[in-house]
Amino acid sequence: MLVKTKAIVISSLKFQEKSLIVKCFTQSHGLKSYFVRDAFSSRKSNQKIAYFQPLSILEIEAIHKNKGTLESFKEIKIAEPFHSIHTDIVKSTIVMFISEILHHSIHEEEKNESLFTFIETAMHWLDNHDEITNFHLILLLEITKYLGFYPDISDMDMPFFEMTEGIFTPFHAISSLTEHETNLFRKLIDLKFENDQKTFHVIERQILLKVLIDYYSFHLDGFKKPKSLDVLKEVFA
């Protein structure tokens, strides 16, 4: 089946000497993996390795056999080129981190157009702004809306946030955040990308990052801590 769709690059893995296996989150068919033969060969002008940087947004024509095997690209082009995401060290570190999170979070081969649109919009926001110290925290929390475990905010005035149920409670359980962590988490829930980026200081952001990684671990089977987490911490230290 010939498919034309936008696709967000989640990961790329070198295969043998010249080829790639590229995992993409497509607008039309959810998660798909593609085999790119001779990706490192200059002769293949339509399959440049630069296309497959983390979270690049592509327009693709692809052959989908839908048999659980690797699919193949027919045509590829950059849908919306980024100006700073892959050249700014802070932004590129954030993007590497987010792509790892998505790699371990999105598993279904089914359409989730609202999540696709959110990630696409968020990447453009990141590309066009410089005050971005809370971006990754807000993004991780917002993505839980589309994955089905966004916190229940109906009792946000309660002193503790319980991680497994995703609710605010009056009692502290084993899987609850402390009051201090809950206060920070409550403040994060109210934040948008465009809000003041000085809301948290460095230590508070590190606490929230750990909280969010733990929250994902509670709710997603097989979720793994991103390898780029330590690099991200260094960048924002």
Side-chain angles (χ1 to χ4, degrees):
M1 177 173 64
L2 180 63
V3 173
K4 293 183 180 182
T5 183
K6 279 186 178 179
I8 297 171
V9 177
I10 301 297
S11 65
S12 58
L13 178 68
K14 192 172 182 180
F15 180 77
Q16 296 180 344
E17 287 301 309
K18 295 182 179 179
S19 301
L20 275 179
I21 296 171
V22 180
K23 183 179 284 189
C24 290
F25 182 48
T26 70
Q27 189 172 20
S28 62
H29 289 78
L31 202 65
K32 287 286 182 182
S33 293
Y34 299 90
F35 181 68
V36 185
R37 191 182 304 279
D38 296 331
F40 295 88
S41 169
S42 59
R43 293 180 292 106
K44 294 279 186 178
S45 60
N46 69 325
Q47 294 181 348
K48 294 175 182 173
I49 194 69
Y51 289 170
F52 305 118
Q53 295 183 83
L55 302 190
S56 290
I57 301 172
L58 308 175
E59 284 183 6
I60 65 170
E61 284 188 28
I63 308 296
H64 285 183
K65 295 181 179 177
N66 298 315
K67 292 181 178 177
T69 55
L70 296 173
E71 314 291 13
S72 57
F73 293 118
K74 193 163 181 278
E75 296 287 340
I76 312 167
K77 66 178 181 179
I78 298 288
E80 298 138 19
F82 294 131
H83 306 292
S84 63
I85 277 181
H86 294 129
T87 54
D88 180 290
I89 184 64
V90 176
K91 292 182 181 182
S92 62
T93 303
I94 290 172
V95 162
M96 190 192 317
F97 170 74
I98 293 166
S99 68
E100 276 197 82
I101 290 285
L102 294 173
H103 179 76
H104 294 304
S105 302
I106 304 172
H107 303 297
E108 298 82 11
E109 281 195 22
E110 59 184 48
K111 186 159 105 171
N112 190 339
E113 198 161 353
S114 57
L115 176 56
F116 183 96
T117 301
F118 171 71
I119 296 169
E120 180 182 31
T121 304
M123 288 305 102
H124 284 297
W125 191 95
L126 179 64
D127 192 42
N128 290 299
H129 291 80
D130 295 321
E131 297 296 319
I132 56 171
T133 49
N134 296 324
F135 175 84
H136 58 299
L137 302 175
I138 298 168
L139 185 84
L140 258 61
L141 183 59
E142 288 293 309
I143 284 173
T144 66
K145 288 180 180 177
Y146 305 95
L147 297 179
F149 56 99
Y150 188 74
D152 181 345
I153 59 174
S154 56
D155 293 313
M156 264 179 70
D157 56 334
M158 294 296 179
F160 302 105
F161 181 72
E162 200 281 314
M163 299 276 269
T164 56
E165 296 297 323
I167 58 174
F168 290 86
T169 73
F171 309 108
H172 187 268
I174 293 174
S175 53
S176 295
L177 302 181
T178 65
E179 276 196 76
H180 177 57
E181 290 168 339
T182 301
N183 284 333
L184 292 176
F185 195 58
R186 191 182 290 116
K187 203 185 289 188
L188 177 62
I189 287 172
D190 288 332
L191 275 190
K192 304 297 179 193
F193 289 138
E194 59 271 15
N195 291 148
D196 182 5
Q197 297 293 309
K198 296 183 176 68
T199 307
F200 305 111
H201 59 65
V202 173
I203 298 300
E204 289 175 332
R205 280 198 299 272
Q206 290 182 354
I207 291 169
L208 280 168
L209 187 55
K210 182 183 185 304
V211 165
L212 286 163
I213 295 295
D214 289 346
Y215 190 50
Y216 271 66
S217 298
F218 272 114
H219 291 272
L220 294 174
D221 288 340
F223 181 80
K224 296 178 182 177
K225 186 173 79 169
K227 294 177 182 176
S228 57
L229 184 60
D230 291 336
V231 181
L232 188 74
K233 288 177 181 176
E234 284 294 319
V235 165
F236 284 114

